[in-house]
Amino acid sequence: PWWPRSKPRSLEHPSVPRLEFLELRPTAQAESPLVFTGIVQQLGQVESIRDENSGRRLTLRWPGLDRADPLVLGESVAVNGCCLTVVQAEGERFVVQAGPETLLRTNLGGLEPGSVVNFERALKASDRLGGHFVQGHVDAVATLSARRTEGEWEFLAFGLDSRWTPLMVPKGSIAVDGVSLTLVEVGGDWFSVMLIPHTLAVTTLGRLGVGDKVNLEVDLLAKHLARLMASTNPWPLSRN
């Protein structure tokens, strides 16, 4: 978010070698969106889908979008937890493109006109972080294997590829269809969550039935730590 001016100034001091530095100035992008937080802002709807080479072009509707803060060309929006770029926008309607890799590795390939989806705009540096850091990069697709009511709450269990559960811990965070949730239990190839009435009402999770598929993004810190632990030399910059 910072751009150097074209002419550097030199810094000289008798006790140090000659140094040069670039004078910096802030730009309008210093407040640009960075990541998501897993707090769904609106339930939206798929209005139309058009095949586009090996991908798809989706026209989506964001009901009640604030006219004073419209979506703009190039903006990032999480759709069911998948970060997509706005390529066209007018009022409550906007268009995104999903490539073959996105369609293959997320549940977006199963969307149809009329499907309900979760929306979240990217987080700004000045916003509150109500959930946890979410990149909008879907790691895996899970399947709802069980659901039961426990008072006002709903218990949901999901099955998934066992390669991902080592990155999950009870009471840790996970994004399910873009919704920041707390893990309750974690098994070899499954995990469970408990949903309050508010989450059931304002996200797509309240509409899920056994067999439905959801997008998962595991905790960012867990992925980086696993990568470092798997490396034979996790600190290459520490060499003399």
Side-chain angles (χ1 to χ4, degrees):
W2 297 86
W3 294 94
R5 287 184 179 172
S6 57
K7 293 184 179 180
R9 294 191 304 169
S10 63
L11 176 65
E12 297 184 8
H13 190 277
S15 63
V16 297
R18 178 185 173 89
L19 300 176
E20 290 191 349
F21 68 93
L22 297 179
E23 190 172 291
L24 304 178
R25 59 183 175 87
T27 70
Q29 295 191 10
E31 290 292 322
S32 61
L34 301 174
V35 292
F36 303 94
T37 182
I39 304 299
V40 172
Q41 295 171 313
Q42 181 65 49
L43 280 174
Q45 190 173 49
V46 178
E47 290 205 338
S48 66
I49 299 176
R50 190 180 77 195
D51 289 336
E52 195 173 58
N53 297 322
S54 56
R56 286 184 175 180
R57 191 179 185 92
L58 294 83
T59 300
L60 310 172
R61 179 172 173 266
W62 186 312
L65 183 65
D66 187 357
R67 294 184 179 181
D69 188 20
L71 292 170
V72 297
L73 185 67
E75 182 174 347
S76 295
V77 176
V79 180
N80 279 359
C82 181
C83 180
L84 299 175
T85 301
V86 175
V87 298
Q88 185 178 339
E90 183 176 357
E92 295 182 347
R93 291 172 177 80
F94 65 101
V95 178
V96 296
Q97 292 171 298
E101 181 75 5
T102 298
L103 298 174
L104 177 65
R105 297 187 178 276
T106 73
N107 64 9
L108 301 188
L111 295 179
E112 301 174 345
S115 293
V116 178
V117 290
N118 295 323
F119 287 150
E120 183 188 359
R121 298 177 80 166
L123 181 71
K124 294 182 179 180
S126 58
D127 290 342
R128 290 187 176 91
L129 180 61
H132 70 284
F133 285 120
V134 178
Q135 292 182 299
H137 301 163
V138 175
D139 294 309
V141 173
T143 303
L144 182 64
S145 57
R147 178 172 180 166
R148 66 173 182 267
T149 302
E150 296 188 6
E152 293 185 343
W153 296 56
E154 288 281 328
F155 169 92
L156 280 72
F158 297 89
L160 74 160
D161 190 317
S162 60
R163 292 178 298 173
W164 294 104
T165 51
L167 299 178
M168 304 178 189
V169 293
K171 305 300 184 288
S173 297
I174 191 167
V176 179
D177 264 358
V179 184
S180 176
L181 299 175
T182 300
L183 291 157
V184 176
E185 296 177 288
V186 179
D189 60 355
W190 63 275
F191 69 89
S192 65
V193 295
M194 295 286 286
L195 304 184
I196 62 174
H198 175 76
T199 302
L200 294 167
V202 301
T203 74
T204 58
L205 303 186
R207 303 164 181 256
L208 291 178
V210 172
D212 287 344
K213 298 187 181 301
V214 295
N215 295 325
L216 296 182
E217 183 181 333
V218 299
D219 186 68
L220 175 64
L221 294 178
K223 287 187 286 189
H224 281 290
L225 181 59
R227 175 64 176 172
L228 288 172
M229 295 295 290
S231 174
T232 56
N233 182 17
W235 308 111
L237 298 182
S238 64
R239 295 177 179 173
N240 293 328

